[in-house]
Structures are given as structure tokens and as C-alpha cells.
Amino acid sequence: MTPWPELRIAAWRDTYATLQLYAQIVGKIRLALTPKMNQWWNVPLYVTTRGLTTSPMPYADRTLSIDFDFLEHRVVIADSDGHVRMLPLAASPVCTFHDALFAELAAIDVRVHIHEAPQECPVTTPFRDDTEHTSYDGVAVQQLWQALRRVEPVFQTFRSRFRGKCSPVHFFWGAFDLAVSRFNGRRAPARKAMVDRDAYDEEVISLGFWPGDPWTGATEALFYSYTVPEPEGLPAQRVRPDAASFSGTMKEFVLPYEDVRRSADPAGAILEFAESSYDAGSTLAGWDRKGLAYP
């Protein structure tokens, strides 16, 4: 069996930062073109056999998709009229990628406007002006995708065991994480921030995989699980496997990716973490565990 790829922030931090900004540009196009859905389900990207995709998006009387192909290192734009446009993924400034992408869209008569400021990261320079972030290590990007494609079907298995409302397994380009969320059907206390107000308007337990923090380099790749609202006593709960713990800083259970990667059964370790952290949160929060379980 092929080993799971290594993901060390120090080895690809600059590429990670650049790729996250590239993905935000594409993600904001999806946000602009798709109808608003609960918990922002209209904005994420999805893992494919070659990278990430917007999935089909409506545009006038056409449908349109934008795909990151991390095998051939290119972005592929296709529409329902048969147009296919491509641009390479290579070391170039974010502003160059931005302009090239919108030029390719214009070539098939697609005009879309996005909010140019990055989100959920410390970068404040608009995409069209960003000359700082320029790195693209193709090997490192493929390692990220290899990790995502291994994790995604495990998350799908976890999702299949739930009868209630559950999100797709989707990739949020803001925080750059793969996630799947279970809901119990009860409304949660309102939050003030616009994104949080919609994302957490229902009680939820979310499982995710985050490649780490490229901006400070302080956090390596990890799996996480949180319960919102957080029930009393959650931080004291023990979850499995042994490498998992509750992070007081992040306010969630975490499991280092490196421990999963080195385990004899990575998929089994992820599911053990997913199930035990869900058991802890849902029990303390009084979810109807029997009614929500799908055999």
C-alpha cells in the first residue's frame, strides 16, 4: 500500500500560502455565481480524481465549472456550450493568476465580479495587486492532493453513518480545510459576525482536516472535531486514538496528521477519532443519538 504523503509546513509553507490565495479567487467566483445555501454550502470546492473543482455553476443559460488539475498543474475552465480554456499552475504572483483567470473567463464571455480581499488569513492586499505570493512547488501540491483524496472517502464513510441533516464532504477555500458537519435539527444562539451567523445557526458537530497554518508556520497538519455550542465538560472528555487531545487554544479536539500517517491503519485512526469525538459532543449536548444514527 502506498504510504500517506508527508505534509510538513516548513517544506511547503510559501506554496501553501500562494495556493490558498489562488483557491480563494476561484472560490469567490463560485460564491458570486451560486444561490446562497444554509451554512454556506454553496461556496466550497470538492475533491476530484485530479484536484479540486467548483462543480457546475449556473451562468445565464449555461453551466460552468473551474477545476484545479494537480496532476497536469493547470486550471481548466469548461462550460455547457463546449468551451474549454486552460491556464498553467506555475510559480507566478497571485495578481498574474487573477488576471489570467479572468481573461480566460472573458474569452468565453463570462463576466463575474468578486470581492477582491482575501478572507480568513492575514493577507490584506487585494488579489489583483498581490505581487508578494509567487511560489508553486508542484510536488508539494500533489502531496496535499494525495492527502485530501485519501481523507475524503473516510469522511464519506463517517457521513454515511448519520440519518440526520449532514453537509457534503467539502473543501472550504477560506480556511483551506476539508470538512463534514452533522446537525441535530435544533437552532443555536445567534452570532454577530456575518459568516458565523449563517455557519453556526444550528447545533453542529463538525469533523475536518486542516493542512496547518502557512502564515505563521506554528501549526502542522491535523484533524479536528468541535461541537457548537460547546457543552459543559467537553474539554475533559477522552477521545481516541491516544494521540488525540482537546486543544484549549483552538477549542476543539485535534489529532495530528503525522500520527495518522504513521499509523498501521490511517483510515481506521481517522474514523476512531471521528466517532469518539462525535460520541463525546453529542452525548454531553443531549443529541438524540439513537434517532440520528444510520446503521
Side-chain angles (χ1 to χ4, degrees):
M1 182 177 291
T2 305
W4 285 45
E6 189 171 354
L7 292 176
R8 292 293 193 182
I9 286 294
W12 77 299
R13 180 176 168 184
D14 292 342
T15 289
Y16 180 173
T18 303
L19 182 64
Q20 182 171 359
L21 295 171
Y22 287 178
Q24 290 205 8
I25 296 169
V26 172
K28 283 174 178 277
I29 293 171
R30 176 162 161 73
L31 173 61
L33 294 181
T34 54
K36 173 72 174 65
M37 292 184 67
N38 57 186
Q39 285 82 44
W40 300 102
W41 290 2
N42 61 305
V43 306
L45 306 178
Y46 301 91
V47 178
T48 72
T49 55
R50 302 185 70 89
L52 295 167
T53 183
T54 58
S55 74
M57 305 175 288
Y59 184 79
D61 60 351
R62 288 183 281 169
T63 50
L64 169 78
S65 65
I66 304 175
D67 287 20
F68 285 96
D69 180 344
F70 295 143
L71 292 177
E72 297 292 335
H73 299 293
R74 60 188 179 180
V75 171
V76 181
I77 303 165
D79 74 0
S80 54
D81 283 351
H83 299 112
V84 178
R85 308 288 298 188
M86 301 183 191
L87 66 149
L89 283 169
S92 62
V94 168
C95 61
T96 300
F97 175 84
H98 171 279
D99 293 349
L101 178 61
F102 279 90
E104 294 296 342
L105 289 170
I108 58 172
D109 198 27
V110 173
R111 317 285 175 175
V112 57
H113 299 283
I114 66 171
H115 182 56
E116 293 283 341
Q119 292 182 219
E120 299 182 63
C121 69
V123 180
T124 57
T125 305
F127 301 120
R128 61 161 64 97
D129 300 325
D130 189 335
T131 60
E132 176 186 357
H133 299 95
T134 65
S135 299
Y136 190 87
D137 179 340
V139 173
V141 171
Q142 283 189 352
Q143 288 178 320
L144 167 68
W145 167 71
Q146 290 287 357
L148 290 173
R149 75 164 186 84
R150 296 289 190 91
V151 173
E152 196 267 353
V154 183
F155 280 16
Q156 292 286 9
T157 297
F158 179 68
R159 181 177 189 259
S160 73
R161 298 174 178 180
F162 194 69
R163 187 183 297 277
K165 173 182 171 179
C166 191
S167 77
V169 178
H170 43 205
F171 187 82
F172 281 100
W173 41 263
F176 217 64
D177 59 332
L178 187 72
V180 59
S181 300
R182 293 176 169 185
F183 300 83
N184 67 11
R186 298 195 296 250
R187 298 303 294 267
R191 297 190 173 205
K192 292 182 179 180
M194 181 184 72
V195 173
D196 285 359
R197 185 172 61 242
D198 287 352
Y200 299 110
D201 65 346
E202 298 180 46
E203 295 188 14
V204 60
I205 297 177
S206 188
L207 170 71
F209 167 65
W210 182 44
D213 178 12
W215 309 107
T216 68
T219 307
E220 298 286 348
L222 54 80
F223 295 89
Y224 65 79
S225 174
Y226 59 76
T227 301
V228 174
E230 180 183 306
E232 184 177 354
L234 187 66
Q237 298 299 301
R238 295 291 299 266
V239 297
R240 302 180 304 276
D242 290 341
S245 63
F246 190 88
S247 168
T249 302
M250 300 178 72
K251 302 297 184 183
E252 57 194 19
F253 292 109
V254 296
L255 173 64
Y257 170 79
E258 185 64 15
D259 287 276
V260 170
R261 186 182 78 84
R262 291 179 177 273
S263 70
D265 180 10
I270 296 168
L271 282 173
E272 188 176 28
F273 175 71
E275 295 289 1
S276 63
S277 56
Y278 169 75
D279 289 347
S282 60
T283 299
L284 290 176
W287 287 33
D288 178 9
R289 290 168 45 78
K290 183 177 180 180
L292 292 171
Y294 190 79

